[in-house]
């Protein structure tokens, strides 16, 4: 009888507890997916994103759905974040809930071992290796070489011939990146790398269909050739046993806790990843700076032009993360496995943070921006490790440009392909000043 009474009491307590928890859960509002449109089956809204000004694509949806909305791009279900607080939540304060991720097509183009596709231990180790070669002290040692490259580049533009500014800037940035990665690389290897990387770059943002002759399929073939060339360079470097201090040397000399070295594939993927991170973004930004300085000659001596150009151009419009579990943020459900895209561009163009955001005004940086509202190089542990090199090469090139040259832009110059690039690469003519 006592045992029966004890079981009865236990059953009643358990039932009351379960009922209380059930009532509590039913009384709480269930988080729902943010509002938005998923577009057409499979392709979603990808064609719309890549066929128009990204400002229009994002701002239209922000006005319609708010600062957190859903969409479907590049074959993935996505949550887009416009709010600076939400971006900090994803990239900094709750970064453990969101792993770095990119569409599979991007990983195939760059290489799965590139550091920005990873997190935790591997990412930390690779980031330290990259940063060790791109620290301010190491970058300062490269000033003379970068300056020689900048002066040679500018001299090749002079004479009044028509120049595609963006394409020429990409050549300059590529040369500086090669210098930082390999030191003084054999000219033959350099040209092979440049040719194949250019082909890879053209197909990187194309629709990822591997049909014969498609941009994407052609870029993947170029990626394989890049890997083969890098293997040859690595093999020659091993045979020479020279104590270099460039990024390639850092990657080749790495030894893990158990004595393991990086494979050739891991080294190649990280080299191509660094090239990718340094190439189009810096070249695009430099092209925009030339446009802004041309539009207002009073800006020629203002270094704050760079800061305002970083804000206005917002070349890195967004980054990719993926929810590792169901996450509730301010009443919105972010399902496990969905991509999360912090929209840096929308924060940089938010009138609450930057008055008259469509107006180019370097003086706004005479007072520092509010925290977490200016993120040209990203935020958190995955912020760009090569930002110091990018700043240096921009400063060196612009120093010689504004002091020794003048230029004229030919034709209209607004455009997006699909990221902000002046139309037709900003055709311009350059003249060297007479002393």
């Amino acid at each position: 009888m006592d045992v029966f009474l004890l079981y009865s009491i236990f059953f009643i307590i358990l039932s009351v507890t379960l009922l209380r928890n059930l009532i509590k859960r039913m009384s709480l509002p269930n988080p729902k997916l943010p509002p938005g449109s998923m577009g057409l089956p499979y392709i979603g809204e990808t064609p719309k994103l890549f066929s128009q000004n990204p400002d229009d694509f994002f701002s239209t949806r922000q006005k319609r759905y708010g600062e957190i909305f859903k969409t479907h791009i590049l074959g993935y279900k996505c949550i887009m974040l416009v709010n600076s607080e939400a971006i900090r939540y994803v990239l900094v304060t709750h970064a453990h809930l969101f792993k770095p991720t990119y569409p599979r097509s991007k990983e195939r183009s760059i290489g799965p071992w590139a550091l920005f596709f990873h997190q935790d231990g591997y990412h930390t180790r690779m980031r330290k290796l990259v940063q060790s070669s791109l620290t301010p002290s190491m970058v300062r040692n490269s000033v003379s070489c970068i300056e020689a490259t900048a002066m040679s580049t500018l001299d090749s533009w002079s004479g009044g011939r028509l120049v595609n500014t963006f394409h020429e800037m990409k050549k300059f940035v590529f040369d500086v990146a090669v210098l930082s990665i390999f030191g003084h690389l054999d000219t033959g290897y350099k040209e092979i790398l440049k040719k194949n990387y250019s082909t890879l770059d053209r197909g990187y943002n194309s629709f990822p269909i591997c049909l014969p002759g498609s941009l994407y399929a052609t870029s993947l073939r170029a990626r394989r050739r890049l890997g083969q060339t890098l293997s040859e360079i690595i093999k020659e470097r091993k045979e020479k046993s020279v104590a270099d201090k460039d990024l390639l040397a850092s990657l080749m000399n790495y030894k893990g806790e158990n004595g393991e070295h990086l494979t050739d594939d891991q080294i190649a993927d990280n080299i191509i990843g660094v090239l990718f991170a340094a190439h189009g973004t810096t070249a695009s930004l430099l092209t925009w700076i030339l446009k802004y300085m041309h539009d207002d000659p009073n800006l020629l001596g203002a270094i704050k032009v760079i800061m305002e150009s970083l804000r206005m151009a917002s070349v890195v419009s967004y980054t990719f993360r993926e929810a590792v579990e169901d996450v509730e943020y301010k009443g919105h459900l972010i399902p496990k496995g969905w991509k999360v895209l912090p929209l840096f561009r929308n924060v940089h163009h938010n009138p609450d943070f930057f008055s008259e955001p469509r107006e180019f005004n370097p003086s706004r940086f005479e007072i520092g921006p509010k925290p977490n509202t200016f993120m040209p190089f990203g935020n958190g542990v995955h912020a760009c490790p090569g930002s110091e090199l990018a700043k240096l090469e921009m400063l060196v090139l612009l120093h010689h440009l504004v002091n020794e040259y003048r230029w004229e832009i030919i034709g209209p110059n607004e455009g997006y392909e699909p990221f902000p690039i002046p139309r037709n690469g900003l055709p311009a003519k350059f003249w060297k000043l007479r002393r």
Side-chain angles (χ1 to χ4, degrees), residues 17-200:
T17 302
L18 291 174
L19 182 62
R20 182 186 300 161
N21 289 337
L22 179 61
I23 294 174
K24 182 179 180 180
R25 287 165 58 187
M26 292 179 63
S27 63
L28 292 174
N30 290 323
K32 298 180 179 179
L33 284 172
S37 170
M38 304 303 283
L40 298 172
Y42 181 67
I43 63 174
E45 295 194 294
T46 303
K48 292 182 179 179
L49 171 64
F50 284 175
S51 64
Q52 61 180 287
N53 181 329
D55 283 344
D56 295 338
F57 180 86
F58 294 129
S59 63
T60 298
R61 284 152 184 77
Q62 180 182 352
K63 291 176 182 177
R64 184 180 303 166
Y65 304 120
E67 294 187 328
I68 302 178
F69 57 90
K70 65 184 178 185
T71 185
H72 189 287
I73 58 173
L74 297 172
Y76 293 94
K77 299 173 182 177
C78 302
I79 304 295
M80 317 297 273
L81 306 177
V82 177
N83 181 279
S84 61
E85 181 183 340
I87 292 176
R88 178 171 172 77
Y89 179 91
V90 170
L91 298 183
V92 183
T93 61
H94 291 74
H96 61 286
L97 298 177
F98 303 91
K99 67 179 181 180
T101 183
Y102 288 78
R104 175 61 180 155
S105 61
K106 309 299 186 187
E107 290 191 20
R108 291 185 67 189
S109 296
I110 304 300
W113 289 106
L115 71 91
F116 44 74
F117 296 137
H118 294 268
Q119 60 179 349
D120 299 331
Y122 178 80
H123 171 265
T124 301
R125 294 191 295 272
M126 293 304 102
R127 184 180 175 85
K128 286 181 178 178
L129 285 177
V130 173
Q131 283 187 316
S132 68
S133 300
L134 301 176
T135 58
S137 60
M138 291 295 290
V139 166
R140 281 194 294 271
N141 294 333
S142 303
V143 169
S144 60
C145 294
I146 293 175
E147 185 171 39
T149 303
M151 294 173 68
S152 174
T153 297
L154 292 172
D155 188 60
S156 71
W157 301 352
S158 63
R161 70 181 181 89
L162 192 63
V163 170
N164 184 309
T165 308
F166 179 58
H167 289 172
E168 294 299 320
M169 288 296 188
K170 289 174 82 171
K171 294 178 184 177
F172 165 68
V173 172
F174 183 88
D175 288 344
V176 173
V178 166
L179 183 66
S180 302
I181 295 170
F182 304 100
H184 294 284
L185 184 65
D186 176 80
T187 302
Y189 278 137
K190 183 177 177 181
E191 291 305 313
I192 293 172
L193 290 175
K194 183 180 294 186
K195 178 182 177 180
N196 285 292
Y197 183 82
S198 178
T199 303
L200 171 64

Side-chain angles (χ1 to χ4, degrees), residues 321-354:
R321 293 292 184 270
E322 180 181 312
V324 299
E325 59 184 68
D326 285 351
V327 178
E328 181 182 350
Y329 179 77
K330 293 192 173 181
H332 294 296
L333 173 65
I334 302 177
K336 177 182 179 180
W338 278 45
K339 307 298 182 187
V340 181
L341 281 70
L343 302 180
F344 304 127
R345 165 176 291 275
N346 289 57
V347 174
H348 294 166
H349 291 192
N350 188 330
D352 292 337
F353 306 138
F354 302 97

Side-chain angles (χ1 to χ4, degrees), residues 153-399:
T153 297
L154 292 172
D155 188 60
S156 71
W157 301 352
S158 63
R161 70 181 181 89
L162 192 63
V163 170
N164 184 309
T165 308
F166 179 58
H167 289 172
E168 294 299 320
M169 288 296 188
K170 289 174 82 171
K171 294 178 184 177
F172 165 68
V173 172
F174 183 88
D175 288 344
V176 173
V178 166
L179 183 66
S180 302
I181 295 170
F182 304 100
H184 294 284
L185 184 65
D186 176 80
T187 302
Y189 278 137
K190 183 177 177 181
E191 291 305 313
I192 293 172
L193 290 175
K194 183 180 294 186
K195 178 182 177 180
N196 285 292
Y197 183 82
S198 178
T199 303
L200 171 64
D201 185 51
R202 284 196 297 273
Y204 180 79
N205 284 313
S206 62
F207 201 78
I209 298 179
C210 285
L211 294 177
S214 68
L215 276 176
Y216 184 66
T218 303
S219 73
L220 290 183
R221 288 197 297 273
R223 172 61 181 85
R224 288 192 288 271
R225 292 193 294 271
L226 280 171
Q228 293 167 0
T229 303
L230 289 171
S231 292
E232 293 175 12
I233 295 173
I234 293 169
K235 181 181 179 181
E236 287 191 9
R237 181 72 71 91
K238 288 178 179 177
E239 292 173 350
K240 291 180 179 178
S241 300
V242 178
D244 294 300
K245 295 183 179 180
D246 48 43
L247 176 59
L248 176 58
S250 296
L251 293 170
M252 291 178 61
N253 294 332
Y254 169 79
K255 186 178 292 186
E257 294 179 356
N258 298 319
E260 72 276 12
H261 293 275
L262 296 176
T263 66
D264 286 1
D265 285 342
Q266 288 175 318
I267 293 173
D269 289 1
N270 277 288
I271 286 175
I272 295 174
V274 170
L275 278 173
F276 170 77
H279 191 239
T281 51
T282 305
S284 179
L285 179 59
L286 278 167
T287 306
W288 281 109
I289 291 175
L290 261 68
K291 174 203 175 314
Y292 295 139
M293 290 195 298
H294 172 271
D295 293 346
D296 186 354
N298 295 322
L299 300 175
L300 288 178
I303 197 62
K304 293 182 179 63
V305 167
I306 293 179
M307 303 290 283
E308 179 66 344
S309 297
L310 285 166
R311 185 196 69 81
M312 278 284 286
S314 290
V315 176
V316 181
S317 300
Y318 51 79
T319 188
F320 285 91
R321 293 292 184 270
E322 180 181 312
V324 299
E325 59 184 68
D326 285 351
V327 178
E328 181 182 350
Y329 179 77
K330 293 192 173 181
H332 294 296
L333 173 65
I334 302 177
K336 177 182 179 180
W338 278 45
K339 307 298 182 187
V340 181
L341 281 70
L343 302 180
F344 304 127
R345 165 176 291 275
N346 289 57
V347 174
H348 294 166
H349 291 192
N350 188 330
D352 292 337
F353 306 138
F354 302 97
S355 61
E356 302 295 335
R358 298 298 181 101
E359 177 184 331
F360 189 83
N361 178 18
S363 66
R364 70 173 81 247
F365 283 94
E366 291 175 359
I367 300 176
K370 297 178 181 177
N372 305 309
T373 63
F374 184 60
M375 299 168 281
F377 296 104
N379 200 0
V381 296
H382 287 270
C384 176
S387 59
E388 293 299 325
L389 176 63
K391 293 173 187 175
L392 174 65
E393 61 186 310
M394 287 189 288
L395 287 172
V396 170
L397 183 82
L398 293 174
H399 167 76

